Amino acid sequence: MAYAETSRKKQNKNSKANSSINSLDKPLRDLSLGPRNPSKEGKSLVQRERSPVAGNRYSRYSGSSALAKTKISTAEKSPNVSAGRGGSSQPQVGGKQLSSQKAVVPKSKGILAPKGYTMRPIIPAAKAELLPVARAMHGDDFAPRVKKLFDPEREAAIDAIQSGVYIGWRCPEFKHDCIRVCKSSKCFCGHLLNQHAQYTGKSVMVPCTAPRCECKAFAFIPSRPEEAGEFWLQRRPGYDPSTWRAKCKCKHTHEEHHPTGLRRCKVKGCGCSKFFSNFLCAACDRHWEEHETSFETTAMRKDIGLPYGEAYLPFHEFPELRNVVLTGREDDDSQYHALTSGPHAIPDNSPTDLALRLRGANPQHNPSIW
């Protein structure tokens, strides 16, 4: 009797071990790399449900739940179910899509929008309202800020109109100046224009006259952060704009580079062999080395199609902004009329279109002038 009970216990232990091994082998058999029979897919999922690791949320089989059974049973019962290109398995009966959400239908030009929604094209404004937007952004400080920002260019424009010598900084292919250069503008060597030799409208190289300066030709470089697009520096408390210097990509300023040749860096241990600006022009978003400094006369600018005379004033096409730059007030055009009536303002033999309109003449009625 004792022998029979002992043998039964051994058999029960062996059967339990075999059952546990078989239950663990079932999931491993389901991971075979060979081709599967799609008709047995539902059966394998059911086997996974019954596996001892199916209830574990961290198991690879935890995804096969009752929802998977429902999908399989639906796929077996409805022969019209088809999956889209994106892997969608929503059932379609009689060509209609069954979904609790609104269908997403394609609109014109490949835009997707929910069904029932109307679309309206976005059309940009025909005229940019520059002045109202700028005035709303700055409030009462608008006019003083604009005048302070363009004071150097206003000085350069007035000097050019009165003397007939235009000094501009621009890219060679441009038909406008990025920045108007005045006597207080800074050269790459670190000295101002009025510290260089005398110049005319036909000057090519204007050397520096400062002691021990190697500069052979004036080359304008931004001396204010606004000219390099770094407007945010002025908002820092205690910021001194006179300490700002234009820098190369080697992190050294232009004053630490040679003013001639390729303008290599003079700092000991720096391997910079040419000045590459780490800033962009605020007017055209291009690097300093892509620009040139030009000395021109009125006739030279007229021949190459550059603005001269009153057209050289900042914002000459916007009278209100032009008045702000000249006098600090939008309704004060006294400075403008004083400039346009000066001896060197507008050449009588070739007046501009704007000059004719201001004088009350119509350019279309006077074709002989052109």
Side-chain angles (χ1 to χ4, degrees), residues 264-278:
R264 59 184 179 85
C265 188
K266 296 185 292 185
V267 177
K268 186 177 181 180
C270 183
C272 176
S273 59
K274 184 179 179 181
F275 183 87
F276 289 99
S277 63
N278 69 341

Side-chain angles (χ1 to χ4, degrees), residues 105-120:
V105 294
K107 293 291 182 180
S108 61
K109 296 183 180 180
I111 302 176
L112 297 178
K115 186 177 181 180
Y117 277 62
T118 58
M119 298 180 59
R120 198 169 49 176

Side-chain angles (χ1 to χ4, degrees), residues 131 135 315 318-325 329-331:
L131 188 59
R135 191 186 294 111
F315 300 110
F318 298 103
E320 294 178 345
L321 277 178
R322 179 203 62 207
N323 294 337
V324 169
V325 172
R329 294 179 53 185
E330 299 180 20
D331 56 350

Side-chain angles (χ1 to χ4, degrees), residues 175 297-308 350:
K175 294 300 181 181
T297 62
T298 304
M300 294 169 61
R301 293 181 71 88
K302 179 184 175 182
D303 293 340
I304 59 181
L306 290 171
Y308 61 93
S350 58

Side-chain angles (χ1 to χ4, degrees), residues 156-227:
I158 294 175
D159 288 344
I161 291 174
Q162 294 178 348
S163 64
V165 180
Y166 295 81
I167 310 172
W169 185 64
R170 63 180 182 271
C171 296
E173 66 273 17
F174 285 1
K175 294 300 181 181
H176 64 275
D177 295 313
C178 293
I179 294 179
R180 302 164 182 84
V181 179
C182 64
K183 295 180 180 179
S184 60
S185 298
K186 185 174 289 188
C187 176
F188 187 90
C189 66
H191 300 108
L192 305 182
L193 175 61
N194 55 18
Q195 295 177 285
H196 286 65
Q198 295 294 326
Y199 54 87
T200 63
K202 298 181 180 180
S203 298
V204 178
M205 299 179 66
V206 182
C208 185
T209 58
R212 296 187 301 274
C213 184
E214 301 176 358
C215 177
K216 303 300 181 184
F218 178 85
F220 171 83
I221 194 165
S223 58
R224 301 183 300 164
E226 297 90 342
E227 297 171 342

Side-chain angles (χ1 to χ4, degrees), residues 140-163:
D140 296 337
D141 296 336
F142 169 68
R145 285 187 178 183
V146 172
K147 188 177 185 305
K148 181 180 178 181
L149 179 63
F150 285 92
D151 270 344
E153 296 205 42
R154 174 186 57 81
E155 179 186 346
I158 294 175
D159 288 344
I161 291 174
Q162 294 178 348
S163 64

Side-chain angles (χ1 to χ4, degrees), residues 275-296:
F275 183 87
F276 289 99
S277 63
N278 69 341
F279 60 91
L280 299 176
C281 172
C284 67
D285 284 340
R286 295 176 67 171
H287 286 278
W288 175 86
E289 53 270 16
E290 301 179 63
H291 292 70
E292 293 179 353
T293 304
S294 302
F295 293 79
E296 297 156 332

